[in-house]
Amino acid sequence: MSNEATTDGTAAGTDTTAGTIASYIDHTLLKPEASEAEVLKVCAEAAEYHFKSVCVNPIWVKTVKTALKGSGVLTCSVIGFPLGATPSDVKAFEARGAVLDGADEIDMVINIAAARANDKGALVDDIRAVAESVHAGGAILKVIIETALLEDAQKVLACEAAVEAGADFVKTSTGFNGGGATVEDVALMRRTVGPGLGVKASGGVRSLADAQAMIAAGATRIGASSGIAIVKGEQGSSAY
């Protein structure tokens, strides 16, 4: 059975051997000091290993889109990153620009303060503004809820808001604000959003075993800068 992800991120199967897991992985380079040479190296790796996407900061979207042309690898960017503490209309503007530059997928950070205040209405408004902007450009939206900063009830609230606002995925972490993905959080997110949305596990996924555990818990995408180590069955050393 194939493990190729569907458009909304749900998996068509559970084949997660080292040889097949690449299609789950967003090969990621988000450090602020990343150079063009480093970005191009990540693109070449993604094309070689057939990762699902390359995920970069917005300034690199055009570079990545050009480098990946014809490879079948998607271009992904991050919005409101890594704090989520910018106004929703600014996030929507930033997302629109990234999509116009060629991003196929957008990973946005929510208003974390609203989640901690249990303000679902504010979360829905924040996510919907970006979702409408992203979808208008034909791209998909992943919503980073930053699990390390939330209690379980707040994680559920944020996931429910993402569903209500029309997001395509929920995602665990930026990797910049404390802990990353856990099996428990991925399972909680999957139970909350049901089968219709993708769940992306990111932050601290550094080995094939890590990735397999996340997928078994309900993840349909893996965000990692250790993608090559994962597909080789080795142990990555990156913090993300």
Side-chain angles (χ1 to χ4, degrees):
M1 183 181 291
S2 170
N3 73 328
E4 187 66 32
T6 60
T7 301
D8 68 358
T10 54
T14 55
D15 183 3
T16 59
T17 63
T20 59
I21 205 166
S23 64
Y24 284 89
I25 295 173
D26 290 346
H27 198 37
T28 302
L29 179 60
L30 294 171
K31 60 183 183 180
E33 73 274 20
S35 67
E36 182 177 16
E38 289 173 312
V39 170
L40 291 174
K41 180 175 183 288
V42 165
C43 291
E45 292 167 349
E48 178 181 355
Y49 289 94
H50 305 291
F51 292 129
K52 186 68 176 181
S53 82
V54 168
C55 188
V56 292
N57 284 301
I59 60 169
W60 297 116
V61 169
K62 288 182 179 180
T63 300
V64 169
K65 189 71 171 182
T66 300
L68 292 175
K69 185 176 180 180
S71 69
V73 180
L74 300 176
T75 300
C76 176
S77 193
V78 292
I79 297 302
F81 193 88
L83 303 178
T86 47
S88 301
D89 59 347
V90 176
K91 292 180 186 177
F93 179 83
E94 186 182 14
R96 186 178 305 114
V99 173
L100 287 172
D101 282 347
D104 303 294
E105 302 185 342
I106 295 293
D107 292 14
M108 71 165 286
V109 186
I110 62 166
N111 179 343
I112 298 167
R116 288 172 62 95
N118 299 304
D119 188 345
K120 186 178 181 182
L123 287 173
V124 171
D125 290 346
D126 185 51
I127 298 166
R128 181 177 286 141
V130 181
E132 290 176 352
S133 179
V134 169
H135 292 155
I140 72 167
L141 178 66
K142 309 189 200 89
V143 174
I144 306 171
I145 69 170
E146 203 65 288
T147 51
L149 301 181
L150 304 179
E151 298 176 352
D152 281 357
Q154 295 163 345
K155 296 168 192 175
V156 169
L157 185 77
C159 288
E160 290 174 344
V163 172
E164 187 173 333
D168 304 290
F169 274 78
V170 289
K171 174 179 170 181
T172 57
S173 318
T174 64
F176 283 74
N177 292 309
T182 68
V183 166
E184 293 77 15
D185 282 340
V186 168
L188 175 64
M189 293 164 71
R190 171 55 67 202
R191 289 195 300 272
T192 303
V193 302
L197 262 68
V199 175
K200 179 174 173 179
S202 63
V205 183
R206 303 186 186 98
S207 69
L208 177 61
D210 289 342
Q212 289 171 327
M214 297 300 172
I215 292 166
T220 50
R221 194 76 67 87
I222 302 294
S225 53
S226 298
I228 293 174
I230 291 170
V231 299
K232 287 184 173 181
E234 298 172 354
Q235 179 70 40
S237 59
S238 172
Y240 183 84

